[in-house]
Amino acid sequence: MGAVASAKGLCRVMLPHYTMEDLKAMLAFEHPGAREDGAKFSELAELTRAHFNGSSVSFDSVACDLPAEASFSGRVLRACRQIPCGQTLTYTQLAMKIGQEQAARAVATAMSKNRTPLVIPCHRVVGADGKLHGFSAPGGIPLKKRMLELEKAAR
């Protein structure tokens, strides 16, 4: 797993999937000038490890560098962050949470651009039919399914 933070907070998370060398190369390409600082991410690493080991954890204490609160994406990401562990919402329900009932497709687009998966739990957003759709993180739908199963088992 890899992460990058700005002065405002976490701005990129890459979920466990890659070799360490590939991960470092991708993060260096996306964020030139970023440097390794494991101590800065110790809480995130501990929470992530606990999550993938089946514990119920909250990432609420992890500061994130998100789009402006007034922006559509900013509102969607903040509303998504409020979905409790082990629960899901549909894209329409998330759209309703931000007062944009007809914006389910736009919500799906905002979720697909989430740069901090797991911390902003886009895996908890499902299709109107209750099925798992559109998880753009490496590992795709099988990873989304695993993450949701881990959360439900930890409840």
Side-chain angles (χ1 to χ4, degrees):
M1 172 178 176
V4 176
S6 71
K8 294 180 184 178
L10 194 64
C11 59
R12 181 69 164 117
V13 169
M14 294 186 96
L15 296 174
H17 182 75
Y18 302 99
T19 66
M20 186 57 77
E21 297 78 28
D22 288 345
L23 181 64
K24 286 180 181 182
M26 286 186 284
L27 288 174
F29 177 78
E30 285 184 9
H31 301 275
R35 58 183 169 68
E36 282 191 52
D37 185 356
K40 182 175 186 109
F41 298 107
S42 61
E43 178 188 16
L44 177 62
E46 183 178 316
L47 290 170
T48 302
R49 209 174 290 109
H51 171 81
F52 282 106
N53 284 322
S55 296
S56 179
V57 298
S58 169
F59 290 89
D60 291 349
S61 61
V62 178
C64 288
D65 185 355
L66 299 175
E69 286 188 50
S71 72
F72 182 82
S73 290
R75 290 182 303 158
V76 169
L77 293 171
R78 285 171 178 80
C80 180
R81 193 166 193 188
Q82 301 306 310
I83 302 171
C85 182
Q87 296 182 28
T88 60
L89 290 180
T90 66
Y91 294 99
T92 300
Q93 289 170 322
L94 191 54
M96 291 169 68
K97 288 235 180 249
I98 64 162
Q100 301 282 316
E101 186 174 338
Q102 301 301 315
R105 285 184 185 251
V107 165
T109 299
M111 292 287 86
S112 74
K113 296 177 181 174
N114 177 18
R115 306 287 289 163
T116 54
L118 191 56
V119 177
I120 305 294
C122 54
H123 63 283
R124 296 179 188 154
V125 185
V126 299
D129 57 4
K131 293 184 180 175
L132 306 184
H133 297 280
F135 193 58
S136 58
I141 298 296
L143 178 59
K144 181 174 185 168
K145 181 179 179 186
R146 180 174 167 232
M147 292 166 71
L148 289 170
E149 287 171 349
L150 286 169
E151 290 183 3
K152 287 182 180 170
R155 289 181 73 201

